[in-house]
Amino acid sequence: MAVGMRSLASSVGLLRRVASFSRSSRIVYSNSVRKSRDVDFALPRQLKPSGYFALLGQVREYHSEEISSSSLRQVSSAAIAGEYAIRNEPRHDWTRDEIQAIYESPLMDLLLYGAQVHKHTHKWREVQQCTLLSIKTGGCSEDCSYCPQSSRYDTGVKAQKLLSEDIVLDAAKKAKEAGSSRFCMGAAWRDTVGRKTNFNQILEYVKEIRGMGMEVCCTLGMLEQKQAEQLKAAGLTAYNHNLDTSREYYPNIITTRSYDERLKTLELVRDAGISVCSGGIIGLGEAEEDRVGLLHTLATLPEHPESVPINALLAVKGTPLENQKPVEVWEMVRMIATARIVMPKAMVRLSAGRVRFSQPEQVNSNLYPLRTRCSALCISVGWLESKEELVLINLPLDLMFCP
Amino acid sequence: MAVGMRSLASSVGLLRRVASFSRSSRIVYSNSVRKSRDVDFALPRQLKPSGYFALLGQVREYHSEEISSSSLRQVSSAAIAGEYAIRNEPRHDWTRDEIQAIYESPLMDLLLYGAQVHKHTHKWREVQQCTLLSIKTGGCSEDCSYCPQSSRYDTGVKAQKLLSEDIVLDAAKKAKEAGSSRFCMGAAWRDTVGRKTNFNQILEYVKEIRGMGMEVCCTLGMLEQKQAEQLKAAGLTAYNHNLDTSREYYPNIITTRSYDERLKTLELVRDAGISVCSGGIIGLGEAEEDRVGLLHTLATLPEHPESVPINALLAVKGTPLENQKPVEVWEMVRMIATARIVMPKAMVRLSAGRVRFSQPEQALCFMAGANSIFTGEKLLTTPNNDKDADQQMFQTLGLISKPPNFNQGHDVHERIEEAAVA
């Protein structure tokens, strides 16, 4: 089976990388995809990356002893990578094939190893609650195909000016009372360049909200270096700037700016010492390779993002993507679990689209990576039909919320 | 919070039992429920059951460092018991309090530790497929309140005689082709006593079906010792006889026979060397304590059952329980995870009622430790999940069908020799 073969090649690839990662001398071995089910005898005995063979042995103990030729019975990449992740530091040298192999692992393995890595790295049962407020809505010059705030699309979203201080701070207070630990402000702009007045206003908001004892986050489009530094000085905790999708698929979604410009902004945020929040959207019509591509770009950044929001597209009438088929929970679980396994320390946020999932489905996503729910108290973007009066969701899950 | 306190007391209880379990000398310490959040300083330092403190230390590493007074932030009993279960042999000395504390643990913990114990003890992703055929339907003399086959309830189920050989064997063949590894035959009887002809017929079926290379299981009511031995000789793999609920609640469900009679049958099955399949039903109007009671009885049998079916009541019009509220998936998950943690080696079967759960809900059940299901159109007289939907679910989740295991139960001759030697 093509999937099985790729898994094997990628497992071997993973093994090779780990081998080169270790302090043993490098060896060259053939690239041929072996039919063998045992991945470990590809390496000669004298090369024993310390712990890895032991690891693989343990992994095999946990899995089917009678390894048949069925690809299903193979030790999946999710299993290998998961077991590796709980014993080692996060990797930044993932290959795209490796992440693809993890993404394609059997779902039950993704659930289990997502959960294992999560339990190992974070406090199990702790879920972060964030609140997102749109402080400047609509009238955006960009052409992002998923977004109702673009002035190019007829979506019924009315352009508004920047919200005044009392409104913003009131919303922040309410969010805090409702249990949010992070308050995010979003402005529908291409960038902050030349928006001196508005930007300074936002700096004020950042100071005030930080003073309330909440994490503060902004998503304001592309930044200049100076502005990044000002935001840091004002006390900004994190800055969001999603990559949205893979580099290859990006031009299908947005033409008014480039992937590299996005990466540049992330670099500026990173250099200014602000936490990076960067993720993407699935269900834009991309292929699985693109979802993997997105994760690959994030997982090979010099530092993994502090948080990775995964959005499931909510198709809005009037946008080019209005007819997209909704994403199934299984796709979210794959995305979330893979993100969790390859970037263990990141907060993986179940973002837009969560409103569509029932409780058991959210728990399924929970089992892995899930770490935050946008308790979108005040999304004043009119297109979210479901009144997201997202109060604390009354799930019988006995969740604890991050301080 | 009452729950938190009980959890702590039970954690301490668990600790005490583990302490007595270890080879260190026994100590007595006070029964007072401590307000303290750290469960382990209840034991003086010189008593270190090997590995347990290390265990608890590791458990605490995984959990909230800043243990606040909120009961939610305590290390849950599910966590303690789960970590213990993956390092030790299954226990038969559970107290009811301990199981109650596990059952009441935060759901996310039950999911995680159910999964951990399951992964450790079984092959993750392997799910057993069984098929159940009602070979003698309706007209039953008993009064089990959940059952549409009782002759006392007007449920529209028509009494039928024992099915003929060609029908039964054909059904078995089809089940095998569809991927089942166990074929179960159920007869709506109080017991098999005096039903010589029918019983011998069933012995034939058992032989034939075993010859097809499937595990064979029967559920025929109460047995006599001789009949149990005959079934074993015919090649029967397992015999089902559910306890249904707790001893205390049992009289509310069935009055025509007693809990002890049920336990007696399980004992006869065990002594004959046949695998025991015994579980119960939730949603009969019982309290949580009764669900825990059922698990407690099963988990303290001399041997844990080889399989534990957990049924969610499908309320049938005409039965006394027709108006029962359907069980939520969270209740199933709690039951399954608790069963998995306290009886790690048992097959935990997601049985009747699965038809009501969506695939994500079933995925949660598998995550919690369920590793067996019934496939096929019907479960006795109630509907079951669509076969194609089940196949698709297996594909979606990446589940593997468990092959038949004939290496279960006991060889009776071995047992007799062991007894002679001892």
Side-chain angles (χ1 to χ4, degrees):
Chain A
M1 261 208 68
V3 170
M5 297 291 245
R6 189 173 354 172
S7 286
L8 186 56
S10 308
S11 300
V12 169
L14 178 64
L15 201 66
R16 189 183 313 159
R17 295 200 79 78
V18 172
S20 61
F21 209 56
S22 81
R23 277 170 267 119
S24 320
S25 56
R26 289 179 71 208
I27 53 123
V28 177
Y29 62 96
S30 93
N31 261 332
S32 64
V33 175
R34 291 168 194 278
K35 284 212 174 50
S36 137
R37 286 73 50 98
D38 285 321
V39 295
D40 68 344
F41 73 68
L43 288 183
R45 293 250 157 243
Q46 60 267 26
L47 177 75
K48 286 195 201 298
S50 61
Y52 198 82
F53 276 113
L55 170 63
L56 204 56
Q58 284 173 47
V59 169
R60 265 189 304 142
E61 257 173 66
Y62 286 150
H63 296 268
S64 180
E65 287 295 345
E66 321 108 28
I67 299 179
S68 72
S69 57
S70 152
S71 69
L72 263 185
R73 286 190 180 274
Q74 279 181 349
V75 177
S76 69
S77 290
I80 296 177
E83 297 283 353
Y84 183 84
I86 67 183
R87 292 167 174 76
N88 296 276
E89 285 305 298
R91 293 179 51 192
H92 295 81
D93 60 346
W94 295 99
T95 65
R96 203 152 165 166
D97 275 348
E98 287 172 332
I99 301 185
Q100 182 98 26
I102 295 169
Y103 184 89
E104 287 174 352
S105 296
L107 212 105
M108 291 299 285
D109 273 5
L110 282 170
L111 275 168
L112 178 69
Y113 289 97
Q116 297 258 66
V117 174
H118 184 61
K119 170 201 171 195
H120 182 82
T121 327
H122 298 268
K123 290 172 189 162
W124 185 253
R125 286 198 294 125
E126 245 190 25
V127 171
Q128 182 191 48
Q129 282 187 295
C130 312
T131 298
L132 175 58
L133 177 68
S134 177
I135 59 174
K136 182 271 173 183
T137 308
C140 182
S141 61
E142 302 301 88
D143 70 349
C144 315
S145 331
Y146 50 80
C147 188
Q149 300 198 57
S150 169
S151 51
R152 300 164 194 241
Y153 309 136
D154 183 13
T155 57
V157 169
K158 293 185 176 32
Q160 296 169 17
K161 286 201 289 233
L162 193 70
L163 292 181
S164 64
E165 181 159 357
D166 45 333
I167 295 181
V168 173
L169 296 188
D170 186 56
K173 269 198 213 81
K174 287 206 174 77
K176 183 161 192 218
E177 281 158 24
S180 268
S181 59
R182 177 179 287 200
F183 192 74
C184 316
M185 294 178 282
W189 289 326
R190 165 184 173 80
D191 56 31
T192 52
V193 177
R195 304 184 197 269
K196 218 171 155 65
T197 323
N198 278 340
F199 188 76
N200 287 338
Q201 191 62 319
I202 292 172
L203 286 178
E204 278 309 305
Y205 297 166
V206 168
K207 286 195 193 103
E208 294 281 335
I209 297 167
R210 184 69 184 81
M212 290 182 199
M214 284 203 292
E215 295 179 12
V216 198
C217 170
C218 285
T219 178
L220 316 169
M222 299 187 288
L223 288 178
E224 282 181 326
Q225 182 179 343
K226 195 165 68 87
Q227 290 168 325
E229 291 163 4
Q230 284 175 311
L231 283 166
K232 175 72 178 175
L236 190 72
T237 315
Y239 191 87
N240 166 273
H241 200 62
N242 286 338
L243 292 179
D244 284 344
T245 187
S246 68
R247 180 185 280 277
E248 298 78 25
Y249 198 68
Y250 192 84
N252 297 305
I253 300 303
I254 302 169
T255 67
T256 49
R257 58 190 183 287
S258 74
Y259 212 66
D260 283 315
E261 285 176 300
R262 295 251 185 177
L263 290 170
K264 183 68 185 165
T265 298
L266 292 188
E267 190 189 323
L268 290 174
V269 169
R270 216 163 36 237
D271 289 345
I274 303 170
S275 265
V276 170
C277 170
S278 186
I281 313 174
I282 62 173
L284 304 166
E286 76 285 349
E288 283 191 351
E289 282 74 19
D290 298 305
R291 298 175 184 182
V292 168
L294 165 66
L295 292 179
H296 179 246
T297 308
L298 293 170
T300 49
L301 290 171
E303 288 166 31
H304 288 162
E306 179 263 350
S307 55
V308 180
I310 308 281
N311 298 276
L313 177 72
L314 284 168
V316 178
K317 199 161 177 313
T319 62
L321 295 178
E322 61 186 351
N323 292 319
Q324 283 298 323
K325 198 162 82 66
V327 154
E328 286 189 28
V329 69
W330 304 124
E331 302 175 80
M332 282 299 271
V333 169
R334 275 190 190 280
M335 199 67 183
I336 291 172
T338 308
R340 170 54 68 225
I341 291 172
V342 306
M343 293 178 280
K345 297 190 174 170
M347 304 284 278
V348 178
R349 188 169 297 121
L350 180 56
S351 297
R354 184 178 54 77
V355 62
R356 277 184 38 238
F357 298 133
S358 66
Q359 280 180 20
E361 296 185 334
Q362 286 184 49
V363 170
N364 253 315
S365 303
N366 243 334
L367 290 177
Y368 28 65
L370 169 117
R371 260 295 253 208
T372 24
R373 289 202 231 124
C374 283
S375 67
L377 243 189
C378 315
I379 289 195
S380 41
V381 181
W383 56 269
L384 267 186
E385 293 306 325
S386 51
K387 306 282 175 189
E388 291 226 310
E389 283 293 334
L390 262 181
V391 191
L392 291 184
I393 287 148
N394 201 10
L395 283 177
L397 294 183
D398 305 310
L399 293 169
M400 301 179 291
F401 300 110
C402 297
Chain B
M1 261 205 70
V3 169
M5 296 290 246
R6 191 174 352 172
S7 284
L8 186 56
S10 307
S11 298
V12 167
L14 178 66
L15 199 65
R16 189 183 312 160
R17 297 200 78 78
V18 172
S20 59
F21 208 57
S22 81
R23 275 169 270 118
S24 319
S25 55
R26 290 178 72 209
I27 53 124
V28 177
Y29 61 99
S30 93
N31 260 333
S32 65
V33 176
R34 292 169 194 279
K35 283 211 176 50
S36 137
R37 287 73 51 99
D38 285 321
V39 296
D40 69 344
F41 71 71
L43 287 183
R45 292 248 160 247
Q46 60 268 25
L47 177 75
K48 286 194 200 295
S50 62
Y52 197 82
F53 275 112
L55 169 63
L56 204 56
Q58 284 173 46
V59 169
R60 266 190 304 145
E61 260 174 62
Y62 285 151
H63 296 268
S64 179
E65 286 296 344
E66 320 109 27
I67 298 177
S68 72
S69 57
S70 153
S71 68
L72 266 185
R73 285 190 179 271
Q74 278 180 352
V75 177
S76 70
S77 289
I80 297 178
E83 297 282 354
Y84 183 84
I86 67 183
R87 291 167 175 76
N88 296 275
E89 285 303 297
R91 293 177 52 192
H92 294 80
D93 60 346
W94 296 98
T95 65
R96 202 152 164 170
D97 275 348
E98 286 173 333
I99 302 185
Q100 182 96 26
I102 295 169
Y103 184 89
E104 288 172 352
S105 296
L107 209 112
M108 292 296 287
D109 272 7
L110 281 170
L111 274 167
L112 178 70
Y113 288 98
Q116 298 257 66
V117 174
H118 184 60
K119 171 201 170 194
H120 182 83
T121 326
H122 298 267
K123 291 174 189 157
W124 184 253
R125 286 197 293 127
E126 240 188 28
V127 170
Q128 181 192 46
Q129 288 182 291
C130 311
T131 298
L132 176 58
L133 177 68
S134 178
I135 58 174
K136 183 271 174 185
T137 309
C140 182
S141 61
E142 302 302 89
D143 70 348
C144 315
S145 331
Y146 50 79
C147 189
Q149 301 199 54
S150 169
S151 52
R152 300 163 194 241
Y153 309 136
D154 182 16
T155 57
V157 170
K158 292 184 174 32
Q160 295 170 19
K161 287 203 288 237
L162 192 71
L163 291 180
S164 64
E165 181 159 356
D166 46 336
I167 296 181
V168 174
L169 296 188
D170 185 54
K173 268 197 215 78
K174 287 208 175 75
K176 185 166 189 216
E177 280 157 25
S180 268
S181 60
R182 177 180 286 201
F183 191 73
C184 314
M185 295 178 281
W189 288 326
R190 166 184 173 79
D191 56 32
T192 51
V193 178
R195 302 184 197 269
K196 216 172 157 64
T197 323
N198 277 340
F199 188 77
N200 288 337
Q201 195 55 324
I202 293 173
L203 287 178
E204 279 306 306
Y205 297 165
V206 169
K207 285 196 193 102
E208 294 280 337
I209 297 168
R210 183 66 185 79
M212 290 182 199
M214 286 203 289
E215 294 178 15
V216 198
C217 169
C218 286
T219 178
L220 314 169
M222 300 189 286
L223 287 177
E224 282 180 326
Q225 185 182 343
K226 195 164 70 82
Q227 289 168 326
E229 292 164 4
Q230 284 176 312
L231 283 166
K232 175 70 178 178
L236 190 73
T237 315
Y239 191 88
N240 167 271
H241 200 61
N242 286 337
L243 292 178
D244 283 344
T245 188
S246 69
R247 180 185 280 277
E248 297 78 25
Y249 198 67
Y250 192 85
N252 297 307
I253 299 302
I254 302 169
T255 67
T256 48
R257 59 191 184 289
S258 74
Y259 211 66
D260 282 318
E261 286 176 300
R262 295 253 188 175
L263 290 170
K264 182 68 185 164
T265 297
L266 293 189
E267 191 189 322
L268 289 175
V269 169
R270 214 164 37 239
D271 289 345
I274 303 170
S275 265
V276 168
C277 171
S278 186
I281 314 174
I282 63 173
L284 304 166
E286 77 284 350
E288 283 191 352
E289 283 75 19
D290 298 304
R291 298 176 184 181
V292 168
L294 165 66
L295 292 179
H296 178 245
T297 308
L298 293 171
T300 49
L301 290 172
E303 289 168 30
H304 289 161
E306 179 264 348
S307 56
V308 179
I310 309 279
N311 298 275
L313 177 74
L314 283 168
V316 177
K317 199 161 178 313
T319 62
L321 294 178
E322 61 185 349
N323 291 320
Q324 282 300 321
K325 198 163 83 71
V327 155
E328 284 189 28
V329 70
W330 305 123
E331 303 175 81
M332 283 301 271
V333 167
R334 275 192 192 277
M335 199 68 183
I336 288 170
T338 308
R340 169 57 64 222
I341 291 172
V342 306
M343 292 177 283
K345 295 189 176 170
M347 302 292 287
V348 177
R349 189 167 297 123
L350 180 52
S351 301
R354 184 170 69 87
V355 67
R356 281 185 31 241
F357 296 135
S358 66
Q359 282 190 16
E361 289 174 324
Q362 291 181 60
L364 278 177
C365 292
F366 293 131
M367 193 74 190
N371 61 338
S372 180
I373 57 172
F374 281 109
T375 53
E377 270 179 27
K378 271 191 170 188
L379 290 184
L380 300 180
T381 59
T382 53
N384 196 30
N385 303 62
D386 174 66
K387 179 165 68 83
D388 291 330
D390 277 347
Q391 279 203 332
Q392 188 243 315
M393 176 176 72
F394 264 60
Q395 260 194 320
T396 303
L397 298 180
L399 297 174
I400 305 169
S401 217
K402 186 177 188 294
N405 167 30
F406 299 110
N407 196 16
Q408 53 179 291
H410 298 281
D411 180 5
V412 179
H413 297 297
E414 274 173 16
R415 274 280 208 73
I416 293 174
E417 279 164 20
E418 279 169 21
V421 166

